Amino acid sequence: MKTQIHALDRSSYSEALLERVAAGWRRLAEDERRGIVTAAHLAADLAALDAPAAILAMAGRVVQDEIHHLEVCARVLEELEPSARVSARIECALGTARPVPDETVLARTLVTEFAIGKPVAASAFAAARAQVREPLFGWAYAELLHDETRHATFGARAAAWVIRGWSTQQRQALWTDCLTRGATGATPRPRDAEAEKLGLLPGEADCTLPRWILPHLAPLGLHPRPANAQALVH
């Protein structure tokens, strides 16, 4: 599919504003680069555990998607910083012998970074897309948002397969651990309304889980109690 090109008229904005937005997209590009490595390692670990072909196919698609996301970031940065280039460096030592996968670490990564983390990322991308005024950034956030639902579903399904033989107590302990890790994430950045209207990702994200992910999380031990359901789900 041919990428739609949207030009940015840099003369309409101050250099200081463009730099603030560019700094945010450089951070996002590094996140996507790390996402490629994480997804590739997950695919390798799932293959080592003899995961079904359907799950491996989903893992492979996630790797492809993450590469596309880095390409999207590069396209945005080309417009924000015409003289700069996004490095093609990706440190991923898949050619060397890897240790036997740790099921607990693997399941925790699938849940925390994908089943829980991707809906949060999707919420942030959707919020950003709703307020940007430049077609370049609207296109970019739409491209990033498009894949997050599939990635969250992959994380939940792959984790469910990994822990298929676990006890109820082990599943609930995993879920508690993942929620705890998710709640102690990165400190939100200060808001920058001017830059966010142009194309900067908002500094704060909605960390509640959308209801569509709940059926996929149920096998992992998610059973929200009425007392905390509102804080956890929207």
Side-chain angles (χ1 to χ4, degrees), residues 69-85:
H69 293 178
L70 184 58
E71 293 173 338
V72 169
C73 292
R75 177 71 188 93
V76 170
L77 287 168
E78 285 175 1
E79 291 293 322
L80 286 168
E81 302 177 308
S83 61
R85 295 185 61 186

Side-chain angles (χ1 to χ4, degrees), residues 57-213:
M58 293 178 72
R61 177 64 184 273
V62 171
V63 175
Q64 293 178 323
D65 290 342
E66 297 291 0
I67 293 172
H68 174 61
H69 293 178
L70 184 58
E71 293 173 338
V72 169
C73 292
R75 177 71 188 93
V76 170
L77 287 168
E78 285 175 1
E79 291 293 322
L80 286 168
E81 302 177 308
S83 61
R85 295 185 61 186
V86 175
S87 170
R89 170 188 53 80
I90 297 177
E91 298 176 0
C92 187
L94 290 180
T96 60
R98 287 178 55 75
V100 176
D102 183 317
E103 287 188 355
T104 300
V105 173
L106 179 57
R108 186 168 59 222
T109 301
L110 288 164
V111 174
T112 303
E113 298 192 22
F114 287 82
I116 296 177
K118 294 301 183 178
V120 173
S123 176
F125 294 151
R129 185 181 61 171
Q131 67 174 317
V132 295
R133 56 178 178 258
E134 284 283 351
L136 171 68
F137 298 107
W139 162 79
Y141 283 124
E143 289 293 302
L144 298 178
L145 175 61
H146 179 265
D147 300 318
E148 299 305 324
T149 299
R150 180 169 59 251
H151 293 184
T153 302
F154 156 72
R157 289 182 179 175
W161 179 82
V162 171
I163 68 172
R164 64 197 183 282
W166 289 20
S167 67
T168 299
Q169 184 177 6
Q170 288 175 307
R171 292 167 186 252
Q172 292 175 342
L174 170 67
W175 178 247
T176 300
D177 184 24
C178 291
L179 283 183
T180 301
R181 290 171 182 270
T184 57
T187 303
R189 300 185 305 277
R191 297 299 300 266
D192 185 340
E194 183 185 26
E196 289 172 11
K197 287 181 180 179
L198 174 56
L200 180 68
L201 191 68
E204 297 179 356
D206 181 0
C207 293
T208 54
L209 295 176
R211 293 188 181 278
W212 60 260
I213 193 64

